[in-house]
Amino acid sequence: MEKTKILIIEDEEAIADLLAYGLEREGFQTRIAASGSDGLRMLELFQPDMLLLDWMLPDQSGLDICKKVTASYNRPIVMITARSDITDKILGLEFGADDYITKPFDLREVVARIRTILRRFTQANQNTDEESGDKSIRFRNIIVLPDERLVKKSGEPVDLTPKEFDLLLTLLGHRGKIFTRSELLDFVWGYDFPGDTRTVDTHIQRLRKKLDAGELITTVFGIGYKFEKKAD
């Protein structure tokens, strides 16, 4: 059985080595990059299943790396950093991270969170395949290809983050259903997400803008959001 591959982008050697040692003992395959540029190069070569990403890197911000990765890859990201303010946590998660762990940390907690995220990520992709039946979803000049996790507008790819894509697919899979913000947080981000409902509002706004779908993804005042049934 092929091992799950995890790329650790961390410039503190002691922390990177600790993470690699602990994860290797748990059956994962790891690689370490000490800078953002090295991490992006190794991402291409190593093709990891997950990234552990430090916020403060010597050449660029971990947030910038997170944004670049989520724009091109469907990979879960866990940010590991000394920043503990809730505003920083929300910012990291809104840039595409799936979880946020502060230093100092317990290695057992890191492993447990990694397993939870990978399990949720795999299950979400399996559900997408089953629900889509390998069929595209179309509305207006938009085509959604669930198996490829790709969205095209007038034939051109639309740059969606993994969470934006999951949010769109959730709404499209239940056209006309009104979702509360809390429900969308649970379905897309998971019940243990540390942010609040403003995250849903931010992602909805981005989806509307990127897809030019303000009248399709509608706000139900005092409740939440829905995707209108008549989308064509």
Side-chain angles (χ1 to χ4, degrees):
M1 184 177 179
E2 188 174 345
K3 292 183 178 181
T4 298
K5 298 189 290 187
I6 299 178
L7 174 58
I8 303 166
I9 306 178
E10 166 65 66
D11 64 321
E12 293 187 48
E13 185 177 354
I15 293 178
D17 288 343
L18 172 65
L19 287 168
Y21 173 76
L23 292 173
E24 293 277 355
R25 288 195 61 179
E26 292 293 327
F28 297 102
Q29 183 180 356
T30 66
R31 291 290 185 277
I32 296 173
S35 68
S37 56
D38 286 345
L40 290 174
R41 282 195 294 270
M42 197 168 292
L43 180 64
E44 293 285 343
L45 296 173
F46 185 47
Q47 292 292 311
D49 300 293
M50 170 182 276
L51 274 71
L52 296 186
L53 176 62
D54 185 24
W55 184 304
M56 302 296 291
L57 294 167
D59 56 344
Q60 54 190 301
S61 169
L63 288 180
D64 292 333
I65 299 295
C66 190
K67 187 175 181 180
K68 291 175 183 177
V69 172
T70 54
S72 304
Y73 299 89
N74 182 30
R75 299 286 188 277
I77 299 173
V78 176
M79 297 201 74
I80 299 181
T81 174
R83 294 174 178 265
S84 59
D85 186 82
I86 187 62
T87 303
D88 291 327
K89 290 185 178 182
I90 293 172
L91 182 61
L93 292 163
E94 290 186 348
F95 265 70
D98 294 88
D99 203 351
Y100 193 110
I101 297 175
T102 55
K103 302 174 184 176
F105 53 79
D106 188 313
L107 190 57
R108 293 170 298 179
E109 179 185 3
V110 175
V111 172
R113 291 199 184 194
I114 285 174
R115 294 195 187 281
T116 298
I117 292 168
L118 288 170
R119 185 165 56 248
R120 185 189 305 150
F121 186 77
T122 301
Q123 183 179 4
N125 286 339
Q126 288 175 345
N127 290 342
T128 295
D129 291 340
E130 292 171 1
E131 293 172 3
S132 67
D134 296 327
K135 295 180 181 179
S136 62
I137 304 171
R138 300 171 185 266
F139 58 95
R140 294 193 177 175
N141 62 336
I142 304 291
I143 179 171
V144 182
L145 304 171
D147 290 344
E148 301 176 43
R149 292 185 67 85
L150 177 66
V151 177
K152 292 185 177 181
K153 179 181 176 184
S154 299
E156 295 296 322
V158 180
D159 182 17
L160 296 185
T161 68
K163 285 292 183 287
E164 289 169 352
F165 184 90
D166 292 341
L167 180 58
L168 174 63
L169 213 59
T170 298
L171 293 170
L172 275 175
H174 303 83
R175 294 188 187 186
K177 173 179 170 58
I178 301 172
F179 287 92
T180 67
R181 291 172 174 84
S182 295
E183 285 175 332
L184 291 173
L185 274 178
D186 287 346
F187 293 151
V188 178
W189 283 267
Y191 71 92
D192 54 352
F193 175 71
D196 57 28
T197 55
R198 290 174 297 177
T199 298
V200 175
D201 297 334
T202 299
H203 282 70
I204 289 289
Q205 291 170 13
R206 291 175 182 169
L207 274 179
R208 285 170 171 166
K209 183 176 180 180
K210 290 180 179 181
L211 302 179
D212 191 22
E215 72 279 20
L216 299 179
I217 304 173
T218 58
T219 302
V220 181
F221 184 74
I223 302 178
Y225 300 99
K226 70 175 180 177
F227 196 101
E228 296 293 343
K229 286 186 176 181
K230 294 183 179 180
D232 300 314

